[in-house]
């Protein structure tokens, strides 16, 4: 394995957020009593709970119970991090919001069957369960692109991204057990410990990490890969379904997500402005991630190597299988539960499918049947649009699955999304407004209503089978 260099994006993180966390955890010289890291995190989480809208960040300060050094660190962070980039274009963001309003019910399907699988190839999920990964991606998408999310004081996009950025820095600091800059200086492997408790933060602190082999947690390369799966892979998937957007709309979508990337602390050199640039960047980062994986994981079918070689079994196929099970559970009838796997293979491509073990989850017959079905759907859609421009069987299938996933993961009253109440009400309203596809004829919407779960709490398995 090639030794990482100073130019390696895996060794670059987020100086602003990392310095903020270092101040929060650091030695205080004002006479205040030193807190444990867990007490400091508790204060930070209480402070972040107040970041419920973009407007709440304007002149924000913590309550009187928060130690002054933590308040000062967070105030400086908000002041610097909430600035939109000079190149931000309100018109393009408005266009992206309009696109999302139109295709919103497709989003859960594309996240589950394209964005998250591609992300699993290139990004260490740090132990997140498939449901949590899907909910986190959907939360970011909703916060950013629901009307006014990035530009209005009543929106929550900027506030949510800044919370995520600081949380990434907290996780990075805990995993390397100190300031990431110091971890880079010595580059030693950080041994695993017995967890001090059951919560996620204590698990991150105890997990162990090898900076030389893995780079920094949540580094620039991983952040860029994640962003690419939310804008480039998303748009590419629409194209592969025959539902591609206009060039202007694609540009607006990329622009809005690049604004999110800027707020998230991603370097501008890793923000792609066009689909061509995004494709090139994605391919380059894919190659880098696969090189790291070859050095880290055993070849498929290989036996566990001796400890001296340090290789381990590739966890990505198991992660993908778990994600596909979660999505498949929302399919009725049960005979169609392989549809998400087959769709993921098509949207992600054969190379990603092999890495994630998707080929092994389906038979050759099911793959051939799916290919025949997609080809037939393409022919039917092409011919039918001459008489009914809004008809798309592929859009219908993706909307049905998207509605089921939205019901399960986005509007579950037992486990609501980690979003402000006002934004959750917007999500509920958007879901109601998406009951019918405005581009489709009435009889197609009737089929969709028949095939999706009824609102009001019934599970997907109780819904009428289509």
């Amino acid at each position: 394995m090639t030794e990482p260099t100073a130019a390696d994006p895996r060794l670059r993180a987020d100086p602003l957020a990392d310095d903020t966390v270092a101040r929060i955890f650091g030695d205080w010289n004002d006479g205040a009593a030193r807190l444990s890291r867990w007490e400091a995190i508790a204060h930070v989480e209480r402070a972040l709970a107040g970041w419920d809208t973009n407007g709440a960040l304007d002149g924000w300060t913590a309550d009187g119970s928060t130690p002054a050094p933590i308040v000062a660190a967070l105030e400086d962070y908000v002041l610097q991090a909430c600035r939109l980039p000079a190149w931000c274009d309100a018109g393009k963001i408005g266009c992206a919001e309009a696109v999302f309003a139109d295709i919103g019910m497709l989003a859960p399907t594309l996240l589950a069957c394209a964005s998250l699988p591609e992300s699993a190839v290139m990004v260490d999920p740090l132990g997140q369960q498939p449901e949590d990964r899907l909910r986190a991606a959907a939360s970011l998408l909703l916060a950013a692109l629901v009307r006014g999310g990035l530009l209005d004081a009543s929106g929550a996009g900027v506030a949510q991204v800044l919370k995520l950025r600081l949380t990434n820095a907290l996780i990075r600091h805990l995993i390397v057990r100190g300031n990431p800059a110091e971890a880079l200086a010595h580059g030693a492997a950080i041994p695993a410990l017995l967890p001090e408790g059951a919560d996620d933060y204590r698990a991150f602190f105890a997990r162990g990490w090898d900076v030389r082999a893995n780079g920094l947690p949540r580094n620039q390369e991983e952040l860029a890969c994640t962003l690419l799966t939310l804008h480039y892979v998303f748009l590419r998937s629409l194209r592969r379904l025959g539902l591609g957007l206009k060039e202007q709309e694609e540009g607006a979508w990329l622009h809005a997500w690049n604004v999110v990337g800027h707020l998230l602390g991603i370097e501008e050199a890793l923000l792609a402005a066009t689909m061509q640039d995004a494709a090139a960047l994605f391919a380059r980062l894919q190659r880098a991630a696969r090189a790291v994986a070859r050095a880290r994981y055993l070849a498929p079918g290989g036996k566990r190597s001796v400890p001296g070689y340090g290789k381990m079994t590739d966890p990505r196929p198991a992660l993908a299988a778990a994600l596909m099970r979660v999505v498949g559970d929302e399919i009725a009838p049960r005979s169609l539960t392989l549809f998400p796997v087959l769709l993921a293979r098509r949207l992600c491509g054969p190379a990603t499918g092999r890495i994630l073990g998707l080929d092994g989850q389906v038979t050759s017959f099911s793959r051939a049947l799916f290919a025949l079905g997609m080809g037939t759907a393409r022919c039917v859609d092409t011919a039918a649009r001459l008489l009914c421009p809004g008809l798309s069987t592929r859009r219908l299938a993706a909307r049905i699955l998207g509605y089921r996933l939205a019901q399960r993961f986005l509007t579950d009253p037992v486990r609501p999304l980690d979003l402000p109440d006002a934004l959750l009400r917007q999500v509920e309203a958007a879901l109601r407004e998406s009951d019918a596809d405005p581009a489709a004829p009435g009889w197609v919407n009737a089929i969709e209503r028949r095939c999706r779960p009824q609102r009001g709490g019934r599970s997907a398995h109780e819904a009428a089978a289509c």
Side-chain angles (χ1 to χ4, degrees):
M1 178 178 176
T2 303
E3 289 291 322
T5 68
D8 189 341
R10 297 186 308 124
L11 298 180
R12 301 198 303 270
D14 182 355
L16 173 60
D18 289 335
D19 290 346
T20 299
V21 173
R23 289 174 63 185
I24 290 169
F25 286 161
D27 293 324
W28 300 339
N29 299 318
D30 62 350
R34 178 73 181 271
L35 301 179
S36 73
R37 63 176 59 88
W38 314 123
E39 291 171 325
I41 288 174
H43 280 292
V44 171
E45 289 195 311
R46 281 194 294 272
L48 296 187
W51 299 3
D52 54 354
T53 65
N54 301 337
L57 299 177
D58 187 17
W60 174 87
T61 187
D63 61 46
S65 66
T66 306
I70 294 180
V71 174
L74 291 177
E75 286 179 347
D76 289 346
Y77 168 73
V78 169
L79 185 63
Q80 297 179 68
C82 71
R83 298 169 185 158
L84 294 175
W87 43 264
C88 177
D89 187 322
K92 290 181 179 180
I93 291 178
C95 179
E97 291 172 344
V99 168
F100 181 59
D102 178 55
I103 66 168
M105 203 47 64
L106 302 175
T109 299
L110 299 184
L111 289 178
C113 296
S115 297
L116 290 185
E118 288 283 19
S119 179
V121 171
M122 301 189 291
V123 178
D124 185 346
L126 295 178
Q128 278 187 301
Q129 296 300 311
E131 297 96 329
D132 294 334
R133 293 173 59 218
L134 181 55
R135 289 161 61 85
S139 295
L140 183 58
L141 178 67
L142 290 164
L145 291 181
V146 165
R147 186 75 64 181
L150 291 174
L151 299 180
D152 292 355
S154 60
V158 176
Q160 293 300 307
V161 173
L162 263 58
K163 290 164 80 170
L164 175 59
R165 181 176 181 179
L166 194 63
T167 300
N168 283 342
L170 281 171
I171 291 171
R172 193 159 45 240
H173 195 108
L174 290 171
I175 289 177
V176 302
R177 298 180 196 152
N179 193 316
E182 297 174 0
L184 287 176
H186 57 70
I190 299 163
L193 303 172
L194 290 176
E196 299 178 22
D199 66 87
D200 289 342
Y201 284 126
R202 285 176 169 81
F204 288 131
F205 185 78
R207 66 168 284 154
W209 193 261
D210 188 338
V211 175
R212 191 175 299 278
N214 303 329
L216 292 171
R218 304 282 169 91
N219 56 61
Q220 281 292 319
E221 183 175 287
E222 289 195 359
L223 292 174
C225 288
T226 299
L227 186 71
L228 283 162
T229 64
L230 291 171
H231 65 26
Y232 167 68
V233 170
F234 195 98
L235 295 175
R236 186 191 68 182
S237 299
L238 286 172
R239 289 183 177 185
R240 290 180 176 179
L241 285 174
L243 305 173
L245 303 177
K246 298 175 182 177
E247 183 178 354
Q248 179 182 1
E249 292 172 330
E250 287 186 335
W253 187 270
L254 290 169
H255 180 83
W257 277 109
N258 283 338
V259 172
V260 172
H262 170 87
L263 293 169
L264 197 55
I266 299 176
E267 299 164 359
E268 288 200 16
L270 294 173
L271 301 178
T274 67
M275 283 293 283
Q276 183 177 2
D277 290 343
L281 177 60
F282 188 68
R284 176 165 65 83
L285 295 181
Q286 273 188 323
R287 288 193 297 271
R290 288 169 182 170
V292 171
R294 283 194 297 271
R296 183 183 300 174
Y297 303 131
L298 291 168
K303 297 180 180 179
R304 184 175 293 276
S305 62
V306 296
Y309 289 100
K311 286 194 175 183
M312 59 183 179
T313 302
D314 191 342
R316 295 174 297 177
L319 289 171
L323 174 63
M324 292 298 102
R325 282 195 299 272
V326 166
V327 181
D329 284 345
E330 300 307 309
I331 299 291
R334 306 307 296 164
S335 58
L336 296 178
T337 53
L338 290 179
F339 175 76
V341 181
L342 295 163
L343 182 59
R345 289 181 70 257
R346 181 175 183 83
L347 297 182
C348 295
T352 296
R354 285 192 297 271
I355 290 172
L356 297 179
L358 298 180
D359 291 351
Q361 298 182 39
V362 290
T363 64
S364 298
F365 176 75
S366 62
R367 294 199 295 269
L369 192 62
F370 180 80
L372 178 62
M374 290 296 290
T376 301
R378 183 171 61 251
C379 293
V380 169
D381 291 350
T382 301
R385 282 174 186 162
L386 297 175
L387 299 175
C388 184
L391 175 62
S392 172
T393 56
R394 289 166 290 180
R395 181 178 172 108
L396 173 63
R399 278 180 57 88
I400 290 171
L401 178 56
Y403 197 96
R404 289 175 177 272
L405 292 172
Q407 285 279 77
R408 165 79 180 276
F409 297 108
L410 307 189
T411 61
D412 182 357
V414 178
R415 291 189 65 200
L417 293 175
D418 183 20
L419 294 173
D421 290 341
L423 182 54
L424 287 174
R425 288 192 292 271
Q426 280 184 277
V427 172
E428 283 279 4
L431 192 59
R432 288 192 298 271
E433 293 171 2
S434 298
D435 276 359
D437 184 352
W443 62 269
V444 172
N445 283 318
I447 294 174
E448 181 180 325
R449 285 191 293 271
R450 171 68 179 166
C451 294
R452 70 190 183 203
Q454 299 297 315
R455 295 184 61 81
R458 288 200 299 158
S459 71
H461 306 307
E462 296 172 317
C466 58

